[in-house]
Amino acid sequence: MERVGVPVGSTRRGAQTPWRAGEGRLPGRLPGRLPGRLPGQLLGRLLGALLLALPGAGAVAGCPQRSDDDRDVVDAGPDDAPAVVARRALAVIFDPTVDGRRLSAAQGWQDPEALLARIPPWWSTTTAGRVRFELVDTVVVDAFPAKVDGFAYDGNEYRQVLAGQSAPHVPDNADVVAILAAHDVCARVDAGDIDELWMMGGPYFGFYESQLAGAAAFEYNSPPLRGTACRRLVPVMGFNFERALPEAIHDFGHRAEATLTHLFGRWSQDSTANAWERFGLVAALSPTLGFSGCGSIHYPPTATSDYDYGNARVVGSLCDDFVNYPARAPDPEAAVVDMSCDAWGCDELGFYAWWLQHLPTAPGLDDDGRPRDWLRAVADPQWMLDQTPDLVPCGVATEATTCAAQARCQWAPCAATCVAADLAVDDGACACLAATSTPACDAAAGCAWYACSERCLPTGTSNDTACR
C-alpha cells in the first residue's frame, strides 16, 4: 500500500535533530524589491508598524465580548478598511525536569516563555496591528508529552535519543487529542475564551508545525486532527524551544500556505491558473514561466534552493502586483519587475514579514466567492469557511442530502460516505473506500491511504480530489 501525505521527520536548516513537517508541502517565500516609491498600501502598513512602537500601541487587553458571528473582529473601521483580528491563544509548554533542571535550561535552549512572548508583538508590528495575537494563559507541564500509543520518554531515554545512542520512539506523534481534552480546549473555544492552542516542546516531542482540529478541519501542513470535541476550527501550533523566533514564524508560514491552498483548491508551480498560484510562484521551480510571484516559505523569489533567503541574484517578480488586490494586471507577465533580496533585507525573518505584508487584505468576495482578505483567512480559518461553505471538506457530510448540497461533492452509496465529485465511484473505488483503516488499506490491492482525508482511495488519485 502506498501512503500519500503521511508526515515524516525532516531536518530544518542547521538542525541537529529532526522536527515535524508535512510531507509533500511545497515551501514558499515571498519575493520582493525595494521600490523607489513605496506603494500606498505598503507605506500605510509601514507607518502603522511605526505607530505600534509607541507604548501600549499593540495592546489587546480589554477587548469587547465577541459575538459568535464576528468573534475575532476588534474594530473593522471604515467599510473599505481591513478588519483588525484578535486571536486569543492558550499556550501549553512541555518542559520536563531532567536531573533537577527544566529540559530547556539543561540543554541550553531557548527560554520557552520568553520565546512565546515574542510572537504576538512580531505579528502586530508586521501586520501594522491587523493581526493581534494574545496569550491569555500559559501552562507549563512538567512532563514529556505522551505519544499516540501511550509511550512517554523519561529523561535518560530522551537524552540517549538526542545523543544518537538510541532510535526515536515510533510512532513519534504526540497524543494531541488528549492534550486538547486535558486543557479543555474545545469548550474554551466554544465559550469564546480562546481561539487556538500553542504547544511548545523539544525535538522528538511529536508536534506538527501546524494542525487543525474541528469537525470541518482540513489539511494544515499536516492531516486534520480527528477525534476531538471541537465544533469550531481550532489551529494547533507546535513550536520548538530548541529553535528561535524565525522558526516559530516559519511554522505560521506553512499554516498560511495550507490555508490558501485550501481556499483556492490547488497550488502548483509553473502555473498562474489562480491568484494564489501567482502569489506563491517561484522562478527556480517554474522553468516554463521563468519568473516568481512572492515565493513560498522555503523559497523566496530569488531562491535556487530551500531556505535560500539571502540569494542576491536578480529575478523577475510580479509580487508587487498584489499590493492593490483585487486589481491586477490581466497578463501576469506584464506585472513582472526586477527584484533582489534587498526587498526583504536578505534575511529570513525579514522575508517572512515582507511575504505576509503582501497578502491581500481587501474586503468582500471575489467573483468566484472567495474572500479577498487572505491575511484574515490565515489568522482565522473558521471565518474563511463561514464565508465559503463550499470549502467544508466533503467527508464532514454524513448524509446524502447534505452531501448533495455541495456542488463539488457526491454521495458514494457503496460506502455511505461523501467524496469529491470528480472521483470515479466504480468497483475499484468502492473496494478502497471500504477499507477504513491503514491496515485494511495495506491489504487492499490498487489502493493508497491519504492522510489529508484519512481515506483509502485508488492509487493515483490526485491530492486535490483525495483531500476535498
Side-chain angles (χ1 to χ4, degrees):
M1 180 203 73
E2 178 186 0
R3 295 191 182 183
V4 182
V6 177
V8 296
S10 70
T11 303
R12 282 280 286 118
R13 175 181 49 77
Q16 298 174 356
T17 53
W19 188 238
R20 303 295 304 173
E23 182 186 45
R25 173 64 57 198
L26 181 67
R29 294 298 168 80
L30 293 185
R33 64 187 176 88
L34 191 61
R37 289 180 57 202
L38 292 172
Q41 184 178 359
L42 183 57
L43 180 59
R45 289 171 175 163
L46 292 174
L47 290 173
L50 291 174
L51 291 174
L52 281 168
L54 297 174
V60 294
C63 292
Q65 180 66 40
R66 299 169 293 176
S67 71
D68 192 58
D69 291 337
D70 213 8
R71 56 189 274 151
D72 298 316
V73 176
V74 175
D75 178 12
D79 289 343
D80 60 347
V84 175
V85 183
R87 299 288 290 172
R88 302 175 181 183
L90 165 67
V92 177
I93 301 169
F94 288 87
D95 198 5
T97 300
V98 177
D99 294 335
R101 302 178 66 194
R102 291 293 187 189
L103 175 67
S104 58
Q107 293 295 129
W109 293 338
Q110 300 285 329
D111 179 326
E113 292 186 67
L115 176 55
L116 283 173
R118 295 178 64 192
I119 296 174
W122 187 92
W123 269 94
S124 287
T125 300
T126 295
T127 64
R130 278 221 53 222
V131 177
R132 302 181 183 182
F133 285 109
E134 178 189 7
L135 287 172
V136 298
D137 196 7
T138 299
V139 178
V140 179
V141 179
D142 186 9
F144 288 93
K147 305 295 186 180
V148 290
D149 64 352
F151 171 85
Y153 289 110
D154 63 29
N156 289 333
E157 292 170 330
Y158 183 73
R159 283 189 160 169
Q160 287 173 1
V161 171
L162 287 181
Q165 298 169 352
S166 298
H169 180 76
V170 178
D172 179 43
N173 298 61
D175 190 348
V176 180
V177 173
I179 294 172
L180 264 68
H183 297 279
D184 212 17
V185 170
C186 298
R188 294 185 69 176
V189 170
D190 285 345
D193 179 32
I194 61 173
D195 301 298
E196 47 192 87
L197 172 65
W198 292 1
M199 302 184 301
M200 180 169 281
Y204 303 108
F205 277 29
F207 302 150
Y208 284 103
E209 293 170 290
S210 59
Q211 193 167 26
L212 200 57
F218 50 86
E219 188 177 8
Y220 215 51
N221 195 41
S222 63
L225 183 62
R226 306 297 186 197
T228 75
C230 297
R231 294 181 294 176
R232 297 179 63 84
L233 293 182
V234 182
V236 179
M237 303 301 297
F239 304 121
N240 185 349
F241 50 52
E242 185 196 20
R243 301 288 171 236
L245 183 63
E247 286 79 13
I249 302 303
H250 183 100
D251 296 349
F252 281 105
H254 286 312
R255 165 176 167 170
E257 291 172 337
T259 300
L260 295 171
T261 299
H262 188 70
L263 178 62
F264 283 89
R266 53 170 281 174
W267 181 24
S268 299
Q269 290 297 318
D270 222 5
S271 171
T272 57
N274 61 53
W276 166 230
E277 288 187 335
R278 285 194 188 192
F279 189 97
L281 196 64
V282 177
L285 303 177
S286 302
T288 302
L289 293 174
F291 57 86
S292 287
C294 298
S296 69
I297 293 305
H298 284 198
Y299 276 76
T302 61
T304 56
S305 61
D306 282 322
Y307 316 116
D308 191 11
Y309 305 110
N311 193 316
R313 75 181 186 128
V314 176
V315 301
S317 167
L318 53 74
C319 189
D320 286 344
D321 196 35
F322 283 88
V323 170
N324 295 310
Y325 188 89
R328 289 179 297 150
D331 177 7
E333 291 193 52
V336 172
V337 297
D338 287 344
M339 174 177 292
S340 76
C341 69
D342 289 341
W344 55 86
C346 302
D347 168 77
E348 180 177 3
L349 201 54
F351 172 74
Y352 298 150
W354 179 84
W355 193 85
L356 288 167
Q357 288 164 355
H358 280 79
L359 290 179
T361 58
L365 302 176
D366 283 335
D367 292 341
D368 56 9
R370 293 185 179 93
R372 293 170 174 168
D373 193 341
W374 296 9
L375 184 62
R376 185 174 180 185
V378 169
D380 186 356
Q382 182 64 56
W383 172 83
M384 181 185 76
L385 281 195
D386 290 344
Q387 310 305 305
T388 53
D390 279 352
L391 292 181
V392 175
C394 296
V396 173
T398 58
E399 298 179 354
T401 51
T402 53
C403 179
Q406 299 187 61
R408 61 198 202 103
C409 304
Q410 63 173 322
W411 187 252
C414 62
T417 190
C418 190
V419 298
D422 57 352
L423 178 69
V425 184
D426 52 21
D427 290 345
C430 289
C432 293
L433 287 167
T436 56
S437 66
T438 51
C441 198
D442 278 338
C447 301
W449 184 261
Y450 288 80
C452 62
S453 58
E454 296 186 310
R455 274 188 170 148
C456 190
L457 296 168
T459 300
T461 301
S462 71
N463 283 333
D464 176 49
T465 299
C467 301
R468 197 177 317 157

